[in-house]
Amino acid sequence: QVQLVESGGGLVQAGGSLRLSCSSSGGTLRNYVMDWFRQAPGKEREFVARIGWSYGSRSYADSVKGRFTISRDNAKNIGYLELNSLKPEDTAIYYCAAGSGLGNNPYVYWGQGTQVTVSA
């Protein structure tokens, strides 16, 4: 079975940077959209970024535009999210998800999340 595993989280000062990875096992992600979400304690899960497959489009939540960069290495089945100019409000568990991005079941695979903590 395909599983996604996030890594690269940690504690960083405001203004710092992190690079998150989303690696797959047991299958390929080459034909899937890859999205990143985050969830802070007591808050709803929110969309962060998306990178497409067939047309290579990228989209970002307004709160992270200009600071985060999403990318992927299809040959290695790894997705990346670069977090720059981090703010305390970016503190959350970050999740990656892969799937068609469409319909009633847009995400076939989810990771378990990696914690990002940004200190003031």
Side-chain angles (χ1 to χ4, degrees), residues 37-70:
F37 295 84
R38 66 186 182 185
Q39 187 167 21
K43 295 186 177 181
E44 298 289 336
R45 184 179 64 197
E46 64 175 330
F47 168 81
V48 175
R50 166 175 288 185
I51 184 167
W53 163 249
S54 61
Y55 48 94
S57 64
R58 294 168 173 82
S59 62
Y60 300 91
D62 288 341
S63 60
V64 306
K65 283 183 178 178
R67 300 190 298 119
F68 292 8
T69 302
I70 189 169

Side-chain angles (χ1 to χ4, degrees), residues 46-119:
E46 64 175 330
F47 168 81
V48 175
R50 166 175 288 185
I51 184 167
W53 163 249
S54 61
Y55 48 94
S57 64
R58 294 168 173 82
S59 62
Y60 300 91
D62 288 341
S63 60
V64 306
K65 283 183 178 178
R67 300 190 298 119
F68 292 8
T69 302
I70 189 169
S71 62
R72 65 193 298 171
D73 184 340
N74 287 335
K76 297 182 178 179
N77 292 312
I78 300 175
Y80 301 100
L81 184 69
E82 296 183 9
L83 319 178
N84 300 303
S85 301
L86 283 162
K87 304 174 181 179
E89 52 262 43
D90 295 319
T91 295
I93 300 175
Y94 284 71
Y95 302 90
C96 61
S100 69
L102 302 170
N104 295 325
N105 188 27
Y107 306 111
V108 178
Y109 309 110
W110 284 88
Q112 295 300 307
T114 185
Q115 177 70 49
V116 172
T117 303
V118 184
S119 62

Side-chain angles (χ1 to χ4, degrees), residues 8-55:
L11 192 154
V12 65
Q13 297 181 71
S17 300
L18 289 171
R19 190 188 194 194
L20 309 183
S21 298
C22 176
S23 61
S24 67
S25 62
T28 180
L29 302 177
R30 294 180 182 181
N31 59 337
Y32 288 142
V33 160
M34 179 171 286
D35 289 1
W36 287 87
F37 295 84
R38 66 186 182 185
Q39 187 167 21
K43 295 186 177 181
E44 298 289 336
R45 184 179 64 197
E46 64 175 330
F47 168 81
V48 175
R50 166 175 288 185
I51 184 167
W53 163 249
S54 61
Y55 48 94

